[in-house]
Amino acid sequence: MKKFSVVIAGGGSTFTPGIVLMLLANQDRLPLRALKFYDNDGARQEVIAEACKVILREQAPDIDFCYTTDPQTAFSDVDFVMAHIRVGKYPMREKDEKIPLRHGVVGQETCGPGGIAYGMRSIGGVLELVDYMQTWSPDAWMLNYSNPAAIVAEATRRLRPTAKILNICDMPIGIEGRMAQILGLQDRKQMITRYYGLNHFGWWHSVEDREGNDLMPALRRYVSEHGYIPPANDAHTEASWNDTFAKAKDVQALDPDTLPNTYLKYYLYPDYVVAHANPERTRANEVMDHREKHVFSACRAITEAGHSAAGELEIDEHASYIVDLAAAIAFNTQQRMLLIVPNNGAIANFDADAMVEIPCLVGKNGPEPLTVGNIPHFQKGLMSQQVAVEKLVVDAWEQGSYLKLWQAITLSKTVPSASVAKAILDDLIDANKAYWPPLR
Ligand code: NAD
Ligand code: G6P
Ligand code: MN
């Protein structure tokens, strides 16, 4: 079996150790000959990488491992780039969340003005990775899950049209895992699902078992009562995520025929979200206090002791969708997966040049989107508004346009007026001086 070379861009990410453990557990499906980490913050990456070096030495001494801040070293001789960078890191996520909240508006990593601000930082970072890949490994594929995926995907579609990049999100995978639990199925792969929308902005309109039996009636009934809280709720889920999974009940009420993505709560219940937010302590604070501290201290302990038992690092089971995607390309499996791709007529009554999240068959030449057909007015209206926001952000980044970004924030369903949008924008510009292109 062929062996592959992978670079993880954003080697210093809190998700890197879980993904490495997941890659090691999937060596039968995607054998590796080399693994590299790349990050532009060498000190942050070193902590994660030194611990992973210990793990790799124990579990897979044959995989050639290195980490670097030098793009040429990182991007030469690779088959896949797995990208999960966060431009500005958690301190900027905290600002994305807190600045809108100061104005009474949803403060969220990928939705509303916070997601727009993050998009303005991410576009340049991700395009740089694409350019490194095209320069040093032109045959490689980038599997990108750097957020905000919708805006990043629109930017790469427009500005790097020939790039071999696949944008994917784990939220539908997480929700489908919950659906399987609700239905008492072994895992989400026992279901055939149909879904359409934008990233963090979509709906399931069909869920069947492998024999083609309709599972929607049972799911609709359950979600309308409990949201996506499965019967045996797992104590692992943090309280803030639990609230989001429970709130899906109210989101689903807007269109009882379908099952919603959890992120729609930010657009359909922004007043509720703001009323339940603490402007002094947002999700970024939770992540810095818990996941970041936990992962980094576990890594330090492993490195110091020289063996992996010294620190508790958890395998990121559900990230195995990344292996599904890489294997689909490597071995032409034609697996059906949800990807963020140009619409090109798949949703018949929606813009051809919108980046939509829809099922695709994936093979060695990339994704082949499946036809969705016409979508209802409710979804179409919401999606048209949101896709315009995403396109205006890329316009603003490309043209350095204050006006386009003001329009984008004003158009977001989370924002009540142009004056509030302007006040938020001016604060965001101040906070993002080191990252955004200058706006005129
Ligand atoms: P993190 O801050 O722990 O890690 C991100 C790393 O990226 C940091 O080490 C940082 O130094 C590095 N980085 C920043 N800018 C860079 C650049 N220009 N070049 C190279 N490296 C750079 O963040 P995290 O919480 O682990 O999340 C990582 C990313 O994954 C985020 O974008 C997050 O939104 C995304 N994510 C996406 C999904 C999805 O469904 N698509 C799921 C989970 C996380
Ligand atoms: C889900 C989404 C990601 C997002 C993440 C945030 O997995 O699909 O796009 O980045 O949640 O999780 P966090 O724990 O960092 O708040
Ligand atoms: Mn996502």
Side-chain angles (χ1 to χ4, degrees), residues 58-78:
E58 286 176 5
Q59 290 194 30
D62 293 346
I63 299 175
D64 199 10
F65 176 70
C66 75
Y67 60 96
T68 179
T69 54
D70 172 48
Q72 181 168 359
T73 308
F75 288 81
S76 297
D77 181 35
V78 295

Side-chain angles (χ1 to χ4, degrees), residues 38-107:
Y38 168 75
D39 203 291
N40 66 358
D41 179 341
R44 182 179 174 91
Q45 171 167 261
E46 186 179 12
V47 178
I48 304 284
E50 282 297 324
C52 290
K53 196 196 266 178
V54 171
I55 295 170
L56 283 155
R57 198 170 57 215
E58 286 176 5
Q59 290 194 30
D62 293 346
I63 299 175
D64 199 10
F65 176 70
C66 75
Y67 60 96
T68 179
T69 54
D70 172 48
Q72 181 168 359
T73 308
F75 288 81
S76 297
D77 181 35
V78 295
D79 302 300
F80 294 103
V81 178
M82 299 182 176
H84 56 201
I85 61 169
R86 184 186 290 286
V87 178
K89 293 174 273 194
Y90 292 127
M92 288 309 295
R93 174 176 180 175
E94 185 180 9
K95 291 186 183 174
D96 293 341
E97 293 168 349
K98 290 186 176 173
I99 289 171
L101 274 176
R102 286 212 298 262
H103 299 271
V105 168
V106 169

Side-chain angles (χ1 to χ4, degrees), residues 271-345:
D271 48 352
Y272 166 91
V273 169
V274 171
H276 289 78
N278 176 354
E280 305 304 325
R281 186 176 162 78
T282 58
R283 179 67 190 153
N285 301 107
E286 282 182 23
V287 172
M288 287 188 275
D289 288 350
H290 300 131
R291 185 170 71 233
E292 189 182 37
K293 282 214 173 89
H294 171 77
V295 169
F296 278 79
S297 65
C299 284
R300 287 196 176 95
I302 289 170
T303 305
E304 208 169 297
H307 59 85
S308 64
E312 255 181 67
L313 288 175
E314 256 180 72
I315 176 170
D316 196 347
E317 274 321 338
H318 89 275
S320 60
Y321 71 89
I322 297 164
V323 167
D324 293 342
L325 184 56
I329 289 169
F331 302 112
N332 198 31
T333 65
Q334 301 295 324
Q335 187 169 338
R336 183 185 166 115
M337 302 192 72
L338 266 186
L339 295 175
I340 305 160
V341 292
N343 183 38
N344 270 337

Side-chain angles (χ1 to χ4, degrees), residues 179 194-196 202-207 214-221 223-224 228 248-249 251-260 375-379:
M179 290 178 185
R194 296 186 178 78
Y195 176 100
Y196 64 83
W203 295 263
W204 283 265
H205 59 111
S206 157
V207 180
D214 188 3
L215 303 174
M216 284 296 276
L219 282 171
R220 282 194 205 108
R221 211 175 314 120
V223 175
S224 71
Y228 293 117
K249 163 188 188 308
V251 178
Q252 200 254 353
L254 265 298
D255 179 19
D257 286 346
T258 58
L259 296 165
I375 59 172
H377 287 302
F378 177 63
Q379 280 82 3

Side-chain angles (χ1 to χ4, degrees), residues 109-110 145 147 149 168-172 199-200 261 263 321 340 357:
E109 178 195 22
T110 63
Y145 29 101
N147 268 318
I168 189 161
C169 171
D170 68 354
M171 193 74 254
N199 179 236
H200 290 183
N261 192 302
Y263 277 93
Y321 71 89
I340 305 160
E357 196 165 288

